[in-house]
Amino acid sequence: MESEALSDVAGVPIFLKLESEQPTGAFKLRGAWNYLGCIPEQRLQTGIITYSSGNHGQAVAFAAGKKGVTAVIVMPETAPRWKVAGVRRWGGEVVFAGVTSAAREAKAREMAAELGLEVIPPYNHADIIAGQGTVGLEIVHQLGEVQHVVVPVGGGGLIAGVTVAVSALKRAADIVGVEPDGAPS
């Protein structure tokens, strides 16, 4: 979607990829959906587990629900109530563990081993990155002559996927990672 206000300020056309329009409100659904699609059905029968502070957890719960798979989401004790409610809305079971990513991952891996659950990583896996990369594919297909792509950086899965996709289709495009001044990764 073109942003006329930003285009006027920048003096060049600026387009926004509105991932907030995804059913779960973020691009994370792309990676979760792709990852689940890559897991053999027999490994999904006991369920899946992930660790997330919110958006990835909601995405995994949504994708699992659509596929009829049980999903456990390990979240920080300090998770915003609305993110916890989002996971539950999509059918995920919430388990709280500490306040750090390391604490969440440790709890998820412990439960996976104990219950035979498949672990879905939040960003650092090729199948997650490939799913996030569909953002880049759509940008090139929808805009064609894109010269610059600006991508927010958090865990790195989105920018990795977008970089692979855009570079494969549009070698001359520049890709720039950005993060907020007040909340850098």
Side-chain angles (χ1 to χ4, degrees):
M1 170 180 196
E2 184 171 8
S3 170
E4 290 183 24
L6 290 175
S7 296
D8 287 346
V9 170
V12 296
I14 302 288
F15 293 85
L16 304 175
K17 188 80 171 109
L18 301 179
E19 290 299 294
S20 57
E21 297 298 312
Q22 293 287 350
T24 58
F27 70 91
K28 295 284 192 170
L29 182 55
R30 295 168 179 268
W33 191 265
N34 189 63
Y35 194 101
L36 279 174
C38 293
I39 299 173
E41 291 295 320
Q42 71 273 15
R43 285 186 17 216
L44 292 174
Q45 291 176 358
T46 55
I48 60 175
I49 190 165
T50 194
Y51 44 100
S52 169
S53 56
N55 290 340
H56 176 69
Q58 290 180 77
V60 168
F62 177 89
K66 293 294 182 186
K67 292 182 177 281
V69 175
T70 301
V72 177
I73 315 302
V74 181
M75 300 183 77
E77 295 164 3
T78 55
R81 282 180 287 174
W82 65 273
K83 288 192 177 191
V84 173
V87 168
R88 290 181 174 145
R89 177 177 50 252
W90 302 120
E93 175 191 338
V94 176
V95 172
F96 295 101
V99 296
T100 66
S101 185
R104 290 188 296 279
E105 181 177 2
K107 181 66 172 179
R109 294 202 181 278
E110 172 190 313
M111 290 181 70
E114 185 179 302
L115 302 172
L117 304 174
E118 180 79 21
V119 177
I120 311 295
Y123 50 82
N124 54 344
H125 188 280
D127 294 335
I128 295 288
I129 292 167
Q132 314 309 28
T134 60
V135 171
L137 293 175
E138 290 176 8
I139 289 169
V140 172
H141 287 301
Q142 292 170 351
L143 296 177
E145 295 304 315
V146 66
Q147 295 175 333
H148 306 281
V149 180
V150 178
V151 184
V153 177
L158 178 62
I159 194 164
V162 168
T163 299
V164 169
V166 171
S167 296
L169 298 174
K170 190 79 177 154
R171 297 198 184 277
D174 292 324
I175 300 161
V176 177
V178 296
E179 56 187 4
D181 281 335
S185 296

